[in-house]
Amino acid sequence: MAMFARPLLAALLLPAFLLSAASAADSKNNPADQLVTLINSNRTASKASTVSDNQGLGCIALQYIKAYEGQCDQVDDKKPMESSFTDTFAPTCGVQATTLSKITGRLVGCQSKYVSPAEAFDILVNDAKGLQILHSKNHTEVGAAVSGTDGGGPYFWCVLFSDGKPTTSFKVDGEVPKTAIHPGCFSGNNDDCMGPTNGAISINAGASWLVAALLFAVACAFAL
Ligand SMILES: *[C@@H]1O[C@H](CO)[C@@H](O)[C@H](O)[C@H]1NC(C)=O
Ligand SMILES: *[C@@H]1O[C@H](CO)[C@@H](O)[C@H](O)[C@H]1NC(C)=O
C-alpha cells in the first residue's frame, strides 16, 4: 500500500503546487486592469496606439460608477454632471484638481450578474459608436473600473479615456485614499481587489475548488 501511496500522492500534489505557483505569479488580480489589457490589444490590432493606464483616472472611473447609485437602467441615457469631476470625483480620489484633463471618451455598462472582463468588453463595445470610441486616436490614457452594488449586483463597468499627458494628468497626492477604493476595483494601481466585498468575484474560485478536490482526493488516498 505505502509503495502505491507515495507516487499517487506526488501525482495529486503536483498540480496543486503548479496551481498555487501560477496564482502567486499573477499579482494583477484586478478585472479593471484586465479590461485595460483587452482595450489595448484591440486598439493595437486596429493600428491605434496603446493608451496608458492612469490610476487617478481609474479611481475617477470608479466614482463615476458610484454616482449611478446602483441604478442600472440609467447608464444609457444619463451621466453624472461635468461638475462632479471637480466637486466630488477628484477630491475623493486625492487627484489634484489642476491636473484634471479632458475626457475624450467613455464607455459605461451595467449587468445584473458579474461577468468576466472579456464579456464586459463585448458589452461595452457592442456597436459602431462603441468601436469608434474604443479606437479614437484622440485618447492618450485610460482609466477603468468595476463595482458591484451593496455586496452584489448590479455590476457596473466604466472606461474613461482622456487626451491628457499620462505623467502629469490626474495626479494623485500621495496615495489614493482607502475610502475611494472599496467596494470596487480600478485600473492602474496594482490593487489586488478580487473578492465579493470588492464587488468583483474571484476568478480563482474555480482553482480553489480544484485544490480542495485534490486535497480531498489526497485524504482519500491516505484513508485507503
Ligand atoms: C475588437 O473589438 C471589436 C468589438 O468587440 C471586435 O469586433 C473585433 O473583432 C476586435 N478586434 C480584435 C482584433 O480582437
Ligand atoms: C477627436 O477630437 C476632435 C476635436 O475635439 C473631435 O472633433 C473628434 O470628433 C474626436 N474624434 C473622435 C473619434 O472622438
Side-chain angles (χ1 to χ4, degrees), residues 1 8 15 25 148 159 200 223:
M1 158 65 213
L8 180 62
V159 179

Side-chain angles (χ1 to χ4, degrees), residues 102 104 132 136-138:
K102 191 175 152 200
T104 49
Q132 195 189 1
S136 169
K137 296 208 160 60
N138 290 350

Side-chain angles (χ1 to χ4, degrees), residues 20-21 63 170:
S20 53
Q63 312 317 312
F170 304 100

Side-chain angles (χ1 to χ4, degrees), residues 34-64:
Q34 289 160 5
L35 180 59
V36 167
T37 303
L38 291 168
I39 286 168
N40 272 327
S41 57
N42 195 291
R43 276 178 66 89
T44 48
S46 328
K47 308 229 164 10
S49 59
T50 56
V51 281
S52 44
D53 204 345
N54 183 317
Q55 71 154 341
L57 187 52
C59 180
I60 285 174
L62 183 56
Q63 312 317 312
Y64 194 95

Side-chain angles (χ1 to χ4, degrees), residues 49-121:
S49 59
T50 56
V51 281
S52 44
D53 204 345
N54 183 317
Q55 71 154 341
L57 187 52
C59 180
I60 285 174
L62 183 56
Q63 312 317 312
Y64 194 95
I65 284 173
K66 290 180 180 175
Y68 285 101
E69 295 177 325
Q71 289 170 295
C72 219
D73 53 348
Q74 299 196 340
V75 295
D76 289 330
D77 23 71
K78 284 196 184 167
K79 49 187 184 181
M81 285 191 295
E82 285 306 314
S83 57
S84 312
F85 282 83
T86 42
D87 296 347
T88 54
F89 303 162
T92 305
C93 290
V95 168
Q96 297 166 14
T98 53
T99 67
L100 284 171
S101 292
K102 191 175 152 200
I103 301 297
T104 49
R106 57 190 103 198
L107 298 166
V108 187
C110 180
Q111 286 284 298
S112 54
K113 283 203 196 112
Y114 180 75
V115 294
S116 69
E119 288 168 299
F121 178 90

Side-chain angles (χ1 to χ4, degrees), residues 41-43 45-46 121-122 125-126 131 134-135:
S41 57
N42 195 291
R43 276 178 66 89
S46 328
F121 178 90
D122 288 341
V125 188
N126 65 354
L131 209 54
L134 176 73
H135 290 159

